[in-house]
C-alpha cells in the first residue's frame, strides 16, 4: 500500500510540474494621458549660450586668452588683449545657434607672458562657470587641465 501511495504522489507531482503554464494576460496598449503626451512632445532644451568668468591665478600676466569652437582654425577674440594681470578676471559670453548647440564643445586656450601655451581643455560646454587659470607648478594644477572650476 505504501508503494502504491508513493507511486500516486509521484505521478501527481510529475503531472503538476508538467502542466502547461497559464498564459499571461496580454496588456492592452495604454491610452496616452495628457501628461505622457506632453513628455513625448516636449522638445529637449539645449543651452545655446555660455558665460565664463575667467580668473588669472597663474602668477604671470596672460597675453592671449581664447575660447573658440573645438576644431576651428579661427580663434576669434583675444580676451586678454592688452594683458590680463595675475588676479584679474574677464567675463566671456558665448552664443551659438540652436542648430549647433547640442554637443557643442569649445577649446580654452591661453598664453602667459613667458610664452607658455596652454590649450589642454578642448571639451568646454555651454554653461555658466568660473574658471581659474593655473600656473604649471601650482598645487591645484592637474595634468589634465591648466585650470580649475571655481565657485
Amino acid at each position: 500500500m505504501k508503494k502504491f501511495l508513493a507511486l500516486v504522489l509521484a505521478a501527481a507531482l510529475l503531472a503538476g510540474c508538467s502542466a502547461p503554464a497559464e498564459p499571461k494576460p496580454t496588456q492592452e496598449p495604454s491610452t496616452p494621458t495628457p501628461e505622457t503626451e506632453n513628455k513625448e512632445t516636449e522638445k529637449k532644451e539645449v543651452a545655446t549660450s555660455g558665460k565664463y568668468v575667467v580668473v588669472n591665478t597663474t602668477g604671470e600676466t596672460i597675453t592671449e586668452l581664447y575660447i573658440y569652437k573645438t576644431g576651428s582654425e579661427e580663434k576669434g577674440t583675444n580676451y586678454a588683449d592688452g594683458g590680463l594681470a595675475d588676479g584679474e578676471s574677464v567675463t566671456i559670453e558665448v552664443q551659438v545657434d540652436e542648430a549647433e548647440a547640442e554637443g557643442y564643445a569649445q577649446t580654452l586656450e591661453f598664453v602667459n607672458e613667458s610664452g607658455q601655451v596652454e590649450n589642454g581643455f578642448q571639451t568646454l560646454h555651454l554653461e555658466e562657470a568660473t574658471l581659474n587659470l593655473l600656473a604649471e607648478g601650482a598645487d591645484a594644477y592637474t595634468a589634465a587641465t591648466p585650470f580649475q572650476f571655481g565657485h
Side-chain angles (χ1 to χ4, degrees), residues 36-151:
T36 58
E37 283 180 352
N38 286 344
K39 287 181 182 177
E40 291 171 5
T41 59
E42 280 181 18
K43 189 174 184 179
K44 181 181 173 185
E45 283 193 38
V46 176
T48 58
S49 64
K51 182 176 180 179
Y52 313 94
V53 177
V54 181
V55 183
N56 179 4
T57 61
T58 64
E60 299 186 57
T61 297
I62 300 296
T63 58
E64 296 178 42
L65 172 63
Y66 303 98
I67 293 181
Y68 57 93
K69 183 176 181 176
T70 299
S72 174
E73 292 185 22
E74 177 61 40
K75 294 180 183 179
T77 303
N78 177 3
Y79 294 100
D81 192 25
L84 183 64
D86 185 48
E88 289 185 342
S89 65
V90 62
T91 300
I92 301 171
E93 294 186 28
V94 176
Q95 185 76 35
V96 300
D97 292 331
E98 190 174 336
E100 68 175 329
E102 189 168 342
Y104 188 83
Q106 304 166 99
T107 296
L108 170 69
E109 178 179 309
F110 66 93
V111 178
N112 60 27
E113 64 189 336
S114 58
Q116 176 78 27
V117 177
E118 293 285 359
N119 65 350
F121 196 74
Q122 299 176 354
T123 57
L124 182 63
H125 294 284
L126 295 168
E127 59 190 310
E128 287 193 25
T130 298
L131 306 171
N132 298 315
L133 304 180
L134 303 171
E136 190 170 333
D139 288 340
Y141 186 96
T142 65
T145 60
F147 67 89
Q148 73 182 151
F149 286 97
H151 306 302

